[in-house]
């Protein structure tokens, strides 16, 4: 393909996409740090909670894998974009999907942590 016919992503558009990607990454990193901190605190409560902490860790890893895969898929889709309109559409869809996914993940993680805390608080018989 000649230099003249090659599609270039405008600098402002690239900056906006990078900023949104960074924002999503920071939100997820904060979520993971919180989940790991909670798992560490809960794990100190004994054998009953170790199973809950293990579930929390496994779920966090699952979320991380899912979100990394979504990011890679998004980056690959941008490489195949034909024009600025398609890039804007892909970006909007990606951001909306990731925000929805992060909200669902936070809710699920909250339920898992709550369940683990309730199990830890049960009196030993």
């Amino acid at each position: 393909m000649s230099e003249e016919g090659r599609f270039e992503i405008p600098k402002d558009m690239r900056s906006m996409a990078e900023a949104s990607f960074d924002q999503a990454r920071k939100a997820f990193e904060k979520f993971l740090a919180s989940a790991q901190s909670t798992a560490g605190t809960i794990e100190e409560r004994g054998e009953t909670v170790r199973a809950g902490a293990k579930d929390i860790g496994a779920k966090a890893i699952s979320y991380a894998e899912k979100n990394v895969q979504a990011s890679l898929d998004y980056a690959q889709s941008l490489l195949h974009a034909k024009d600025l309109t398609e890039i804007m559409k892909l970006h909007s869809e990606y951001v909306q999907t990731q925000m929805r996914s992060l909200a669902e993940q936070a809710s699920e993680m909250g339920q898992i942590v709550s369940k683990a805390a309730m199990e830890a608080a049960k009196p030993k018989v």
Side-chain angles (χ1 to χ4, degrees), residues 75-94:
Q76 187 171 16
S77 70
L78 289 177
L79 294 175
H80 300 288
K82 293 175 182 60
D83 56 29
L84 183 59
T85 302
E86 187 175 356
I87 289 172
M88 291 299 294
K89 179 180 178 246
L90 291 169
H91 177 69
S92 177
E93 289 171 355
Y94 171 75

Side-chain angles (χ1 to χ4, degrees), residues 11 13 15 17 22 26-27 41 43 57 67 81-82 87 95 108:
K11 187 176 180 179
M13 174 59 70
S15 294
D22 287 344
K26 287 175 185 171
T41 301
E43 195 167 8
N67 290 325
K82 293 175 182 60
I87 289 172
V95 170
E108 288 177 18

Side-chain angles (χ1 to χ4, degrees), residues 1 11 14 22 24 32 43 48 50-51 56 58 63 66 77 82 89-90 92 96 100-102 112-113 120 123:
M1 182 176 262
K11 187 176 180 179
R14 185 180 308 275
D22 287 344
L32 278 181
E43 195 167 8
T48 303
R50 283 196 181 95
I56 291 167
Y63 292 154
K66 179 182 176 186
S77 70
K82 293 175 182 60
K89 179 180 178 246
L90 291 169
S92 177
Q96 288 176 10
R100 199 169 30 253
S101 180
L102 289 173
I112 292 170
V113 169

Side-chain angles (χ1 to χ4, degrees), residues 7-73:
F7 175 72
E8 297 264 343
I9 298 173
K11 187 176 180 179
D12 290 344
M13 174 59 70
R14 185 180 308 275
S15 294
M16 185 177 75
E18 289 172 358
S20 293
F21 184 74
D22 287 344
Q23 182 181 8
R25 179 190 312 274
K26 287 175 185 171
F28 186 68
E29 287 171 354
K30 184 177 177 183
F31 165 75
L32 278 181
S34 176
Q36 290 169 347
S37 173
T38 301
T41 301
I42 290 174
E43 195 167 8
E44 296 169 1
R45 297 216 165 208
E47 189 61 41
T48 303
V49 178
R50 283 196 181 95
K54 187 175 180 181
D55 289 346
I56 291 167
K59 192 57 100 169
I61 290 169
S62 170
Y63 292 154
E65 290 172 351
K66 179 182 176 186
N67 290 325
V68 167
Q69 187 61 51
S71 297
L72 293 172
D73 291 346

